[in-house]
Structures are given as structure tokens and as C-alpha cells.
Amino acid sequence: MARKKVSTTIYITPDQNERLKLLHERTKVPVAVYIREGIDMVLEKHSHNLPGQLTLDAPPKKR
């Protein structure tokens, strides 16, 4: 089942636009899917900056 999506506006460079269109033409995967995948990659890379539940083996934060 697909998750509900929120509409937003982003600005990309003309080169990014052309490359995404070419990728879509070759794979038939919608550009929006690639954009969401890219956002997921950034969120994973920077997950240490996001709030979340600590694991049991995580050392306590120093103040």
C-alpha cells in the first residue's frame, strides 16, 4: 500500500533536470521516485543529526 505523499516544490539545475529525464526515459521510473530515493539517502547519511530513540548499547551523551 502506498504511503500518503505531501506535495512540495524543489529547484534543480538544468543539468539535473536533463539527466533525470534521460534516466526516466531509459528506466521508465518516474522522476519523483528518484527524488524521493535521493532524499532518503540524505536523511540516512545525516540520521545522527535527527532525533530518535537511542539503542541500548549507545554510550550516554556528555554534557
Side-chain angles (χ1 to χ4, degrees):
M1 179 190 254
R3 289 186 266 164
K4 184 177 179 180
K5 295 172 183 69
V6 176
S7 176
T8 189
T9 300
I10 63 165
Y11 295 94
I12 59 177
T13 65
D15 182 56
Q16 290 170 324
N17 188 49
E18 288 303 313
R19 295 177 75 192
L20 283 168
K21 283 183 182 179
L22 180 60
L23 189 58
H24 163 69
E25 288 171 9
R26 292 187 178 180
T27 64
K28 303 304 180 206
V29 174
V31 169
V33 170
Y34 290 122
I35 292 171
R36 286 192 294 270
E37 286 179 4
I39 291 168
D40 286 341
M41 287 180 197
V42 169
L43 291 173
E44 179 63 29
K45 179 179 178 181
H46 297 281
S47 64
H48 60 281
N49 290 317
L50 296 172
Q53 187 171 353
L54 294 175
T55 61
L56 294 176
D57 59 342
K61 290 184 180 181
K62 294 182 180 178
R63 292 186 182 211

